[in-house]
PDB file of all heavy atoms in Angstrom:
ATOM      1  N   VAL A  38       0.114  13.524  20.981  1.00 98.00           N
ATOM      2  CA  VAL A  38       0.990  12.836  20.029  1.00 98.00           C
ATOM      3  C   VAL A  38       0.149  12.569  18.771  1.00 98.00           C
ATOM      4  O   VAL A  38      -1.048  12.838  18.767  1.00 98.00           O
ATOM      5  CB  VAL A  38       1.513  11.488  20.613  1.00 98.00           C
ATOM      6  CG1 VAL A  38       2.320  11.737  21.898  1.00 98.00           C
ATOM      7  CG2 VAL A  38       0.375  10.503  20.899  1.00 98.00           C
ATOM      8  N   LYS A  58      -0.152  -1.734  13.661  1.00 98.00           N
ATOM      9  CA  LYS A  58       0.688  -1.435  14.825  1.00 98.00           C
ATOM     10  C   LYS A  58       1.358  -2.681  15.407  1.00 98.00           C
ATOM     11  O   LYS A  58       2.284  -2.572  16.208  1.00 98.00           O
ATOM     12  CB  LYS A  58      -0.164  -0.803  15.947  1.00 98.00           C
ATOM     13  CG  LYS A  58      -0.480   0.665  15.731  1.00 98.00           C
ATOM     14  CD  LYS A  58      -1.266   1.201  16.918  1.00 98.00           C
ATOM     15  CE  LYS A  58      -0.570   1.102  18.254  1.00 98.00           C
ATOM     16  NZ  LYS A  58       0.205   2.270  18.678  1.00 98.00           N
ATOM     17  N   ARG A  60      -0.328  -4.489  17.417  1.00 96.00           N
ATOM     18  CA  ARG A  60      -0.814  -4.271  18.787  1.00 96.00           C
ATOM     19  C   ARG A  60      -1.543  -5.507  19.282  1.00 96.00           C
ATOM     20  O   ARG A  60      -2.352  -6.078  18.563  1.00 96.00           O
ATOM     21  CB  ARG A  60      -1.770  -3.077  18.782  1.00 96.00           C
ATOM     22  CG  ARG A  60      -2.310  -2.632  20.156  1.00 96.00           C
ATOM     23  CD  ARG A  60      -3.203  -1.428  19.932  1.00 96.00           C
ATOM     24  NE  ARG A  60      -3.876  -0.893  21.085  1.00 96.00           N
ATOM     25  CZ  ARG A  60      -3.486   0.201  21.750  1.00 96.00           C
ATOM     26  NH1 ARG A  60      -2.375   0.819  21.415  1.00 96.00           N
ATOM     27  NH2 ARG A  60      -4.207   0.673  22.747  1.00 96.00           N
ATOM     28  N   ASN A  64      -5.416  -4.919  24.167  1.00 95.00           N
ATOM     29  CA  ASN A  64      -5.175  -3.524  24.547  1.00 95.00           C
ATOM     30  C   ASN A  64      -6.183  -2.619  23.846  1.00 95.00           C
ATOM     31  O   ASN A  64      -6.082  -2.375  22.651  1.00 95.00           O
ATOM     32  CB  ASN A  64      -3.735  -3.141  24.175  1.00 95.00           C
ATOM     33  CG  ASN A  64      -3.312  -1.842  24.830  1.00 95.00           C
ATOM     34  OD1 ASN A  64      -4.068  -1.233  25.591  1.00 95.00           O
ATOM     35  ND2 ASN A  64      -2.109  -1.406  24.547  1.00 95.00           N
ATOM     36  N   PRO A 144      -5.241   4.956  18.592  1.00 98.00           N
ATOM     37  CA  PRO A 144      -4.103   4.826  19.490  1.00 98.00           C
ATOM     38  C   PRO A 144      -2.981   5.714  18.956  1.00 98.00           C
ATOM     39  O   PRO A 144      -3.134   6.322  17.892  1.00 98.00           O
ATOM     40  CB  PRO A 144      -3.715   3.349  19.337  1.00 98.00           C
ATOM     41  CG  PRO A 144      -4.069   3.034  17.915  1.00 98.00           C
ATOM     42  CD  PRO A 144      -5.283   3.885  17.587  1.00 98.00           C
ATOM     43  N   SER A 145      -1.885   5.810  19.664  1.00 98.00           N
ATOM     44  CA  SER A 145      -0.735   6.539  19.148  1.00 98.00           C
ATOM     45  C   SER A 145      -0.245   5.845  17.871  1.00 98.00           C
ATOM     46  O   SER A 145      -0.319   4.625  17.751  1.00 98.00           O
ATOM     47  CB  SER A 145       0.362   6.601  20.204  1.00 98.00           C
ATOM     48  OG  SER A 145       0.636   5.308  20.716  1.00 98.00           O
ATOM     49  N   ALA A 146       0.258   6.653  16.914  1.00 98.00           N
ATOM     50  CA  ALA A 146       0.558   6.146  15.569  1.00 98.00           C
ATOM     51  C   ALA A 146       1.978   5.601  15.463  1.00 98.00           C
ATOM     52  O   ALA A 146       2.777   6.061  14.645  1.00 98.00           O
ATOM     53  CB  ALA A 146       0.311   7.248  14.543  1.00 98.00           C
ATOM     54  N   ASN A 147       2.274   4.615  16.300  1.00 97.00           N
ATOM     55  CA  ASN A 147       3.596   3.977  16.302  1.00 97.00           C
ATOM     56  C   ASN A 147       3.399   2.472  16.314  1.00 97.00           C
ATOM     57  O   ASN A 147       2.309   1.996  16.640  1.00 97.00           O
ATOM     58  CB  ASN A 147       4.369   4.389  17.564  1.00 97.00           C
ATOM     59  CG  ASN A 147       3.528   4.214  18.819  1.00 97.00           C
ATOM     60  OD1 ASN A 147       2.705   5.071  19.153  1.00 97.00           O
ATOM     61  ND2 ASN A 147       3.704   3.088  19.500  1.00 97.00           N
ATOM     62  N   ARG A 148       4.472   1.721  15.982  1.00 96.00           N
ATOM     63  CA  ARG A 148       4.419   0.278  16.185  1.00 96.00           C
ATOM     64  C   ARG A 148       4.256   0.024  17.684  1.00 96.00           C
ATOM     65  O   ARG A 148       4.784   0.764  18.509  1.00 96.00           O
ATOM     66  CB  ARG A 148       5.708  -0.391  15.687  1.00 96.00           C
ATOM     67  CG  ARG A 148       5.893  -0.356  14.190  1.00 96.00           C
ATOM     68  CD  ARG A 148       5.112  -1.416  13.451  1.00 96.00           C
ATOM     69  NE  ARG A 148       5.469  -2.768  13.857  1.00 96.00           N
ATOM     70  CZ  ARG A 148       4.782  -3.861  13.513  1.00 96.00           C
ATOM     71  NH1 ARG A 148       3.686  -3.761  12.771  1.00 96.00           N
ATOM     72  NH2 ARG A 148       5.184  -5.045  13.908  1.00 96.00           N
ATOM     73  N   SER A 149       3.522  -1.024  18.030  1.00 94.00           N
ATOM     74  CA  SER A 149       3.231  -1.316  19.432  1.00 94.00           C
ATOM     75  C   SER A 149       4.516  -1.368  20.251  1.00 94.00           C
ATOM     76  O   SER A 149       5.519  -1.906  19.788  1.00 94.00           O
ATOM     77  CB  SER A 149       2.517  -2.667  19.516  1.00 94.00           C
ATOM     78  OG  SER A 149       2.066  -2.883  20.818  1.00 94.00           O
ATOM     79  N   SER A 150       4.465  -0.800  21.443  1.00 89.00           N
ATOM     80  CA  SER A 150       5.540  -0.752  22.444  1.00 89.00           C
ATOM     81  C   SER A 150       6.611   0.278  22.140  1.00 89.00           C
ATOM     82  O   SER A 150       7.479   0.535  22.961  1.00 89.00           O
ATOM     83  CB  SER A 150       6.188  -2.128  22.678  1.00 89.00           C
ATOM     84  OG  SER A 150       7.245  -2.341  21.760  1.00 89.00           O
ATOM     85  N   ARG A 151       6.562   0.913  20.952  1.00 92.00           N
ATOM     86  CA  ARG A 151       7.570   1.910  20.600  1.00 92.00           C
ATOM     87  C   ARG A 151       7.207   3.294  21.116  1.00 92.00           C
ATOM     88  O   ARG A 151       6.117   3.518  21.625  1.00 92.00           O
ATOM     89  CB  ARG A 151       7.729   1.974  19.079  1.00 92.00           C
ATOM     90  CG  ARG A 151       8.364   0.743  18.483  1.00 92.00           C
ATOM     91  CD  ARG A 151       9.740   0.563  19.050  1.00 92.00           C
ATOM     92  NE  ARG A 151      10.436  -0.556  18.459  1.00 92.00           N
ATOM     93  CZ  ARG A 151      11.489  -1.152  19.030  1.00 92.00           C
ATOM     94  NH1 ARG A 151      11.939  -0.730  20.174  1.00 92.00           N
ATOM     95  NH2 ARG A 151      12.075  -2.153  18.432  1.00 92.00           N
ATOM     96  N   LEU A 152       8.138   4.211  20.893  1.00 95.00           N
ATOM     97  CA  LEU A 152       7.929   5.616  21.239  1.00 95.00           C
ATOM     98  C   LEU A 152       6.741   6.186  20.475  1.00 95.00           C
ATOM     99  O   LEU A 152       6.615   5.951  19.276  1.00 95.00           O
ATOM    100  CB  LEU A 152       9.130   6.419  20.754  1.00 95.00           C
ATOM    101  CG  LEU A 152      10.355   6.561  21.612  1.00 95.00           C
ATOM    102  CD1 LEU A 152      11.364   7.416  20.868  1.00 95.00           C
ATOM    103  CD2 LEU A 152       9.992   7.188  22.941  1.00 95.00           C
ATOM    104  N   SER A 153       5.928   6.979  21.130  1.00 96.00           N
ATOM    105  CA  SER A 153       4.842   7.657  20.410  1.00 96.00           C
ATOM    106  C   SER A 153       5.429   8.733  19.497  1.00 96.00           C
ATOM    107  O   SER A 153       6.447   9.335  19.808  1.00 96.00           O
ATOM    108  CB  SER A 153       3.874   8.303  21.400  1.00 96.00           C
ATOM    109  OG  SER A 153       3.215   7.315  22.156  1.00 96.00           O
ATOM    110  N   PRO A 154       4.760   8.962  18.352  1.00 97.00           N
ATOM    111  CA  PRO A 154       5.245   9.949  17.381  1.00 97.00           C
ATOM    112  C   PRO A 154       4.798  11.367  17.733  1.00 97.00           C
ATOM    113  O   PRO A 154       3.627  11.597  18.023  1.00 97.00           O
ATOM    114  CB  PRO A 154       4.588   9.499  16.080  1.00 97.00           C
ATOM    115  CG  PRO A 154       3.393   8.720  16.488  1.00 97.00           C
ATOM    116  CD  PRO A 154       3.570   8.246  17.890  1.00 97.00           C
ATOM    117  N   GLU A 182       1.315  11.415  26.004  1.00 96.00           N
ATOM    118  CA  GLU A 182      -0.075  10.988  25.839  1.00 96.00           C
ATOM    119  C   GLU A 182      -0.998  11.544  26.934  1.00 96.00           C
ATOM    120  O   GLU A 182      -0.555  11.952  27.999  1.00 96.00           O
ATOM    121  CB  GLU A 182      -0.175   9.465  25.857  1.00 96.00           C
ATOM    122  CG  GLU A 182       0.662   8.763  24.806  1.00 96.00           C
ATOM    123  CD  GLU A 182       2.099   8.582  25.233  1.00 96.00           C
ATOM    124  OE1 GLU A 182       2.470   9.054  26.334  1.00 96.00           O
ATOM    125  OE2 GLU A 182       2.860   7.982  24.464  1.00 96.00           O
ATOM    126  N   ARG A 197      -3.558   5.940  33.712  1.00 95.00           N
ATOM    127  CA  ARG A 197      -2.295   6.353  33.080  1.00 95.00           C
ATOM    128  C   ARG A 197      -2.072   7.819  33.377  1.00 95.00           C
ATOM    129  O   ARG A 197      -2.893   8.653  33.001  1.00 95.00           O
ATOM    130  CB  ARG A 197      -2.358   6.133  31.562  1.00 95.00           C
ATOM    131  CG  ARG A 197      -1.092   6.607  30.853  1.00 95.00           C
ATOM    132  CD  ARG A 197      -1.077   6.268  29.373  1.00 95.00           C
ATOM    133  NE  ARG A 197      -1.954   7.125  28.593  1.00 95.00           N
ATOM    134  CZ  ARG A 197      -2.093   7.042  27.276  1.00 95.00           C
ATOM    135  NH1 ARG A 197      -1.424   6.129  26.598  1.00 95.00           N
ATOM    136  NH2 ARG A 197      -2.902   7.856  26.638  1.00 95.00           N
ATOM    137  N   GLY A 231      -2.249  -0.911  28.527  1.00 52.00           N
ATOM    138  CA  GLY A 231      -1.156  -0.373  27.711  1.00 52.00           C
ATOM    139  C   GLY A 231       0.094  -0.078  28.505  1.00 52.00           C
ATOM    140  O   GLY A 231       1.136   0.241  27.933  1.00 52.00           O
ATOM    141  N   HIS A 236       7.236  -0.367  27.052  1.00 86.00           N
ATOM    142  CA  HIS A 236       6.329   0.475  26.281  1.00 86.00           C
ATOM    143  C   HIS A 236       6.961   1.840  26.144  1.00 86.00           C
ATOM    144  O   HIS A 236       7.847   2.173  26.914  1.00 86.00           O
ATOM    145  CB  HIS A 236       5.017   0.594  27.071  1.00 86.00           C
ATOM    146  CG  HIS A 236       3.829   0.477  26.186  1.00 86.00           C
ATOM    147  ND1 HIS A 236       3.303  -0.721  25.833  1.00 86.00           N
ATOM    148  CD2 HIS A 236       3.069   1.417  25.567  1.00 86.00           C
ATOM    149  CE1 HIS A 236       2.255  -0.520  25.039  1.00 86.00           C
ATOM    150  NE2 HIS A 236       2.097   0.772  24.872  1.00 86.00           N
ATOM    151  N   TYR A 237       6.492   2.640  25.205  1.00 88.00           N
ATOM    152  CA  TYR A 237       7.000   4.005  25.057  1.00 88.00           C
ATOM    153  C   TYR A 237       8.520   3.979  24.909  1.00 88.00           C
ATOM    154  O   TYR A 237       9.223   4.857  25.410  1.00 88.00           O
ATOM    155  CB  TYR A 237       6.610   4.874  26.258  1.00 88.00           C
ATOM    156  CG  TYR A 237       5.148   4.765  26.626  1.00 88.00           C
ATOM    157  CD1 TYR A 237       4.738   4.084  27.757  1.00 88.00           C
ATOM    158  CD2 TYR A 237       4.175   5.337  25.804  1.00 88.00           C
ATOM    159  CE1 TYR A 237       3.394   3.970  28.080  1.00 88.00           C
ATOM    160  CE2 TYR A 237       2.832   5.223  26.120  1.00 88.00           C
ATOM    161  CZ  TYR A 237       2.447   4.545  27.255  1.00 88.00           C
ATOM    162  OH  TYR A 237       1.127   4.424  27.575  1.00 88.00           O
TER     163      TYR A 237
HETATM  164 MG1   MG B 402       0.469   4.119  22.519  1.00 92.47          MG
END
Side-chain angles (χ1 to χ4, degrees):
V38 300
K58 282 183 60 93
R60 184 179 177 102
N64 194 2
S145 51
N147 49 278
R148 292 279 300 169
S149 188
S150 88
R151 291 299 184 200
L152 274 180
S153 294
E182 303 83 357
R197 177 174 75 179
H236 222 85
Y237 312 107

